[in-house]
Amino acid sequence: MEFVTFLRDGIQLPGLLTADRQRVLSLEEAGLGAWSTLTAFIADAGPDLLARAASASAQSEGTPLSSVQLLAPIPKPCHDILCVGVNYRDHLEESEAAMGKIAHQDSVYFSKRAHIMTPHDATIDGHLDLDPCLDYEVELAVVIGRECRNVAPEEAKDYIFGYSVFNDMSARGIQMRHNQWYRGKSLDGFAIMGPTLVHKSALPFPIEVDVCSRVNGELRQSSNTRLFLADIPHLISELSHGITLEPGDIIATGTPAGVGMGFDPPRWLKSGDTVECEIQGVGLLRTHIR
């Protein structure tokens, strides 16, 4: 099952794709009730509701995708994105070469402001007037399905709703100038996710999927989530100890080597560039730079 949020006739609707990925149904049209947002649905999505969603997605009726505008699956999260830094060893090494030694005995966490999430195939302001050092980062996003606190690693899967593709766009000059990452990661438009939210039942657990990015068609990043330094059960468990996670919370699980910062000289994005972030079984997320 792939869940979406879309605009039809100027109205924002949570919905799901049909199995052929050619049509979309609002959750109400799918017989799942009237929900204002996908986050509200996620919070109440028990086994019966999900079984009905799976049945609805198998039908061939619905509005053609070409007739609607896909938004990010969760257009306006309740909280900022929970991000994991340097969670692949090769990216840790290239980051230290660019920024200096990073204490990495424990996972590196930071947050990323998400005023409005940028959807698939959008053109964003690169804010190149503020910082010419614009960079990309493909990441697997994990969306929490149930409120939780103090989760044991072996229970983590129970609290996941699904997965999406995330591009953690970064203004590296600002990031390094402030000696922490929040502002450089949080300029308007820099939280990019989509095109869909794939339910966890579509992928085996633990997650071992290929992750890659391309700039103007050139492969830049290529790895697999089995190479995480800290896996998803560890991340959910550690973050939830002392912090309550809520339905719709998004965890961006880190990026592999091959970001622009990692080249010598760096290969920053420029106006007119197109970035594609792709994750096996989850989707392809395309972004254009203005």
Side-chain angles (χ1 to χ4, degrees):
M1 289 179 288
E2 294 184 77
F3 293 88
V4 295
T5 298
F6 63 98
L7 278 178
R8 186 174 61 194
D9 299 327
I11 300 172
Q12 180 174 308
L13 298 166
L16 70 163
L17 291 188
T18 55
D20 62 7
R21 308 189 82 247
Q22 299 302 308
R23 294 177 177 272
V24 66
L25 295 161
S26 73
L27 295 181
E28 187 168 11
E29 290 166 341
L32 304 177
W35 301 92
S36 57
T37 65
L38 190 53
T39 299
F41 172 81
I42 289 169
D44 249 8
D48 176 65
L49 202 57
L50 289 171
R52 288 159 53 198
S55 177
S57 69
Q59 62 183 275
S60 59
E61 298 178 356
T63 303
L65 264 181
S66 58
S67 300
V68 303
Q69 178 187 345
L70 283 186
L71 304 177
I74 300 176
K76 196 172 180 64
C78 295
H79 305 290
D80 286 354
I81 311 303
L82 296 164
C83 297
V84 185
V86 293
N87 199 27
Y88 292 78
R89 183 163 301 281
D90 56 2
H91 180 54
L92 170 63
E93 292 168 355
E94 72 176 357
S95 297
E96 289 187 331
M99 297 190 295
K101 190 69 175 176
I102 298 171
H104 57 272
Q105 290 83 2
D106 295 307
S107 297
V108 176
Y109 297 114
F110 61 96
S111 63
K112 181 181 181 86
R113 184 169 174 80
H115 169 59
I116 296 292
M117 299 285 279
T118 300
H120 169 64
D121 219 19
T123 297
I124 68 164
D125 181 356
H127 300 284
L128 299 175
D129 55 331
L130 294 177
D131 186 348
C133 304
L134 180 63
D135 212 346
Y136 53 88
E137 295 188 6
V138 59
E139 308 199 15
L140 176 69
V142 176
V143 176
I144 297 297
R146 295 164 52 199
E147 183 173 302
C148 57
R149 194 169 184 268
N150 300 334
V151 174
E154 60 271 19
E155 298 172 346
K157 182 184 177 183
D158 296 339
Y159 296 95
I160 295 171
F161 181 81
Y163 309 98
S164 193
V165 186
F166 193 81
N167 185 350
D168 179 17
M169 200 69 75
S170 306
R172 298 296 192 192
I174 293 174
Q175 178 183 346
M176 290 184 276
R177 186 164 69 243
H178 287 282
N179 200 34
Q180 51 74 43
W181 299 355
Y182 185 79
R183 184 170 180 243
K185 299 277 189 175
S186 296
L187 301 182
D188 287 349
F190 279 18
I192 308 167
M193 192 171 93
T196 70
L197 174 55
V198 177
H199 188 256
K200 65 181 179 182
S201 60
L203 294 168
F205 197 84
I207 301 297
E208 293 187 359
V209 291
D210 293 335
V211 175
C212 74
S213 71
R214 294 177 289 270
V215 177
N216 302 326
E218 176 193 7
L219 183 67
R220 294 285 184 88
Q221 297 176 276
S222 181
S223 191
N224 189 285
T225 57
R226 69 174 175 272
L227 300 176
F228 280 151
L229 292 174
D231 63 14
I232 291 170
H234 173 90
L235 297 175
I236 290 175
S237 178
E238 188 164 68
L239 283 168
S240 72
H241 273 75
I243 299 175
T244 299
L245 303 181
E246 296 188 296
D249 276 346
I250 300 164
I251 302 172
T253 56
T255 199
V259 299
M261 177 181 66
F263 290 90
D264 186 14
R267 301 179 69 181
W268 307 124
L269 295 172
K270 59 186 184 303
S271 179
D273 283 349
T274 294
V275 181
E276 291 181 323
C277 296
E278 187 168 12
I279 299 180
Q280 177 187 9
V282 182
L284 185 150
L285 174 66
R286 184 182 301 112
T287 306
H288 311 280
I289 310 301
R290 183 174 66 242

